[in-house]
Amino acid sequence: MNEVLNIVDFIKRMKKNFLFFLLLSLLASSVTALFFQAKISFKSNAIVKVNTELSSSNINLLNGVIPFQELPRDSYEAEIIQIINSRDFIISLIDDNKFLKVLIAAESYDTRDNKVIYNKKLYDEEKNLWKGDFARFNNDELDLVDYAFIQESFLSNLTISKIDPLFYSIDFYSISPNFSKEVLDALIKKVNEHFMSIEIAKAENKINFLNSEYNSAQIIGLKESITDQISSQIEQLVNVKSIEEIALIRLDNPSMQSLDDAKNMQSRKNFIRIFIAGFSPVLIMIILSFLGFFIRFKKSAPFIEYGKS
């Protein structure tokens, strides 16, 4: 029986290796704590609602001008998310608001002066010039690889979570509390501007088409009908322009995280890193000990055929 289930031998092996793996665990934890600490980052959060009921009170006026009134709700929600994640939208957002240098070259944040400190190897703030591997960013036009890199850098700091149907929580993390808030403010504004421009263009195209039809019409009754349609379209256009949040309605405006909250979040991240680094050698020891025990068990019990009763 002792040859088959040598539990005592297993325990001895655990004790023999425990000291080595314990020292390895302490070393891994110390190295992680000293050299691999998480950088402090500030989160801005906004709660938004997808606007799919814009014409509920004026349905006769709008009469389907807003395209997502004719689409399933889930389809329009997905369209907004896809636009936010799209390369062209992100690049336009960053270019319009001059976000690139903070997104790529920011190294630290001076809480006293409320100022972003840039990595001097990447960006010269005084000359407003990119340096080193990013010197190509000084060009007016970048290639698709650079655009993809910028898109990935932006999305790595952006989190969109669905709370309930139509309701979303949007988070952005950066080295500066002001920058995180500015990004979310600009993002929500640009989404609404994007859909607003689409709706205005559609309404204006309808008006232009009706005007051309009016000019070519010969029948007085037809001209009167077209005139009524033009008036209706103009009224619709005015109503569309009056809707400020045509796609995303802000329920909670983008927040600004305090320094204490950011430090607490940084401490939690560091604790998780240190714990994982310290526990990994112990886990490896346990796995190897069980593996060694299993191999010895098989050798000492050759008469057992696994899988058979």
Side-chain angles (χ1 to χ4, degrees):
M1 187 68 179
N2 290 335
E3 292 179 357
V4 178
L5 296 173
N6 197 347
I7 303 298
V8 175
D9 180 61
F10 172 70
I11 295 174
K12 287 181 178 180
R13 283 177 168 272
M14 290 278 288
K15 288 182 176 179
K16 181 179 179 181
N17 297 325
F18 179 75
L19 182 59
F20 170 76
F21 282 100
L22 177 61
L23 293 174
L24 185 61
S25 176
L26 292 174
L27 178 63
S29 298
S30 300
V31 171
T32 302
L34 290 173
F35 301 105
F36 297 98
Q37 288 202 8
K39 286 186 177 181
I40 190 169
S41 63
F42 294 86
K43 179 181 78 170
S44 181
N45 170 263
I47 306 297
V48 297
K49 178 182 181 292
V50 176
N51 192 351
T52 60
E53 299 177 357
L54 299 175
S55 62
S56 58
S57 60
N58 286 310
I59 191 165
N60 292 327
L61 290 175
L62 293 176
N63 194 23
V65 172
I66 310 302
F68 46 85
Q69 295 299 314
E70 303 170 1
L71 296 175
R73 183 186 66 197
D74 293 341
S75 175
Y76 181 61
E77 289 185 60
E79 183 182 353
I80 289 179
I81 301 302
Q82 289 298 323
I83 287 173
I84 292 175
N85 287 286
S86 67
R87 183 193 63 209
D88 289 349
F89 178 86
I90 292 172
I91 296 301
S92 178
L93 174 68
I94 292 173
D95 285 346
D96 292 346
N97 297 277
K98 311 299 181 184
F99 287 155
L100 187 60
K101 61 182 181 180
V102 180
L103 183 67
I104 304 297
E107 185 176 54
S108 61
Y109 177 70
D110 188 338
T111 56
R112 180 185 299 178
D113 296 332
N114 194 26
K115 182 180 178 183
V116 174
I117 309 300
Y118 297 99
N119 187 331
K120 295 181 179 180
K121 294 181 179 179
L122 303 180
Y123 181 75
D124 188 330
E125 186 177 8
E126 293 182 358
K127 297 180 180 180
N128 192 28
L129 289 175
W130 290 90
K131 300 169 62 179
D133 294 337
F134 293 96
R136 63 187 185 279
F137 283 4
N138 293 315
N139 301 329
D140 293 333
E141 294 291 334
L142 300 177
D143 57 30
L144 292 178
V145 175
D146 291 327
Y147 286 145
F149 170 75
I150 295 171
Q151 178 188 19
E152 183 180 354
S153 299
F154 182 86
L155 291 178
S156 66
N157 296 300
L158 180 70
T159 304
I160 303 175
S161 306
K162 190 170 186 176
I163 304 173
D164 282 311
L166 301 178
F167 294 88
Y168 287 84
S169 173
I170 308 177
D171 297 328
F172 191 83
Y173 298 84
S174 80
I175 206 164
S176 161
N178 292 321
F179 181 73
S180 296
K181 183 178 183 299
E182 287 174 10
V183 169
L184 282 192
D185 272 323
L187 185 146
I188 296 170
K189 180 181 178 183
K190 190 167 185 65
V191 170
N192 286 319
E193 288 176 346
H194 174 84
F195 283 95
M196 176 68 75
S197 63
I198 291 175
E199 298 315 315
I200 290 175
K202 290 182 67 174
E204 289 177 344
N205 288 338
K206 288 181 180 180
I207 293 171
N208 291 334
F209 172 76
L210 290 171
N211 280 328
S212 64
E213 290 295 306
Y214 178 86
N215 293 330
S216 61
Q218 302 296 326
I219 303 173
I220 295 177
L222 179 59
K223 284 194 171 187
E224 290 178 351
S225 175
I226 294 175
T227 300
D228 291 340
Q229 292 184 57
I230 292 174
S231 298
S232 176
Q233 289 296 325
I234 292 174
E235 190 174 3
Q236 291 172 11
L237 179 60
V238 171
N239 278 276
V240 168
K241 288 184 176 181
S242 69
I243 303 172
E244 184 177 354
E245 297 181 321
I246 196 169
L248 294 178
I249 301 172
R250 301 180 190 223
L251 301 181
D252 282 342
N253 284 313
S255 61
M256 186 179 296
Q257 190 176 29
S258 67
L259 179 61
D260 289 339
D261 286 342
K263 285 183 176 180
N264 289 334
M265 186 169 64
Q266 179 191 30
S267 298
R268 288 195 294 270
K269 289 181 180 179
N270 286 329
F271 174 78
I272 293 172
R273 288 188 179 190
I274 293 170
F275 176 80
I276 293 174
F279 182 71
S280 296
V282 176
L283 181 63
I284 293 172
M285 178 197 72
I286 295 173
I287 293 173
L288 291 177
S289 298
F290 270 105
L291 185 62
F293 171 76
F294 181 73
I295 293 173
R296 289 172 62 84
F297 175 77
K298 285 192 65 176
K299 288 183 178 179
S300 62
F303 53 86
I304 296 178
E305 295 185 28
Y306 297 97
K308 293 185 179 181
S309 57

